[in-house]
Amino acid sequence: MDGKTSVKVVPKPWGHEVIWAANELYVGKVLHIKAGHALSVQYHNQKDETIHLLRGEMIYRVDFRDGAGLVEVPFAEGESYRNTPGVIHQMEAVTDCDLLEASTPHLDDVVRLSDRYGREGTSAP
């Protein structure tokens, strides 16, 4: 249906996310990560996502599946990065960060390999 849609704010131990678009085709979010906090080391089975660093400084880690494990990737304000299903990744905020995320609608498709907050769903790699 056309028109205004509801906006959902989801508190997270690392900050919060604002889900401003969600339907059967796509999801749009703003992720606010507090300085010194990090998302889990994770991957997705189905979810395909692209993130865009709107504000702040962060450390972005990706596993290129070459045996080197997680590698820090330079990631500056104004840059975007795509994660296809199966790519292990992690974001850590150096300063408060705001990121845009556009993804497929698989909101619950998160496989946590490690999580500093001990959230459920964390499993050994």
Side-chain angles (χ1 to χ4, degrees), residues 20-39:
W20 57 270
N23 61 47
E24 65 281 351
L25 299 174
Y26 59 85
V27 172
K29 295 181 185 180
V30 177
L31 282 69
H32 177 76
I33 309 170
K34 297 182 287 188
H37 289 266
L39 279 68

Side-chain angles (χ1 to χ4, degrees), residues 11-89:
K12 300 287 187 175
W14 42 261
H16 65 271
E17 60 185 27
V18 178
I19 302 173
W20 57 270
N23 61 47
E24 65 281 351
L25 299 174
Y26 59 85
V27 172
K29 295 181 185 180
V30 177
L31 282 69
H32 177 76
I33 309 170
K34 297 182 287 188
H37 289 266
L39 279 68
S40 57
V41 176
Q42 61 182 263
Y43 68 90
H44 312 290
N45 289 309
Q46 294 179 294
K47 184 179 176 187
D48 190 320
E49 65 186 3
T50 299
I51 59 166
H52 176 81
L53 184 55
L54 196 57
R55 277 184 285 282
E57 181 184 345
M58 65 179 270
I59 299 165
Y60 196 68
R61 298 180 183 99
V62 179
D63 186 333
F64 293 105
R65 304 180 201 188
D66 60 1
L70 287 174
V71 175
E72 289 187 11
V73 174
F75 198 64
E77 280 187 16
E79 292 184 329
S80 299
Y81 198 96
R82 181 181 180 196
N83 291 309
T84 55
V87 172
I88 298 170
H89 58 282

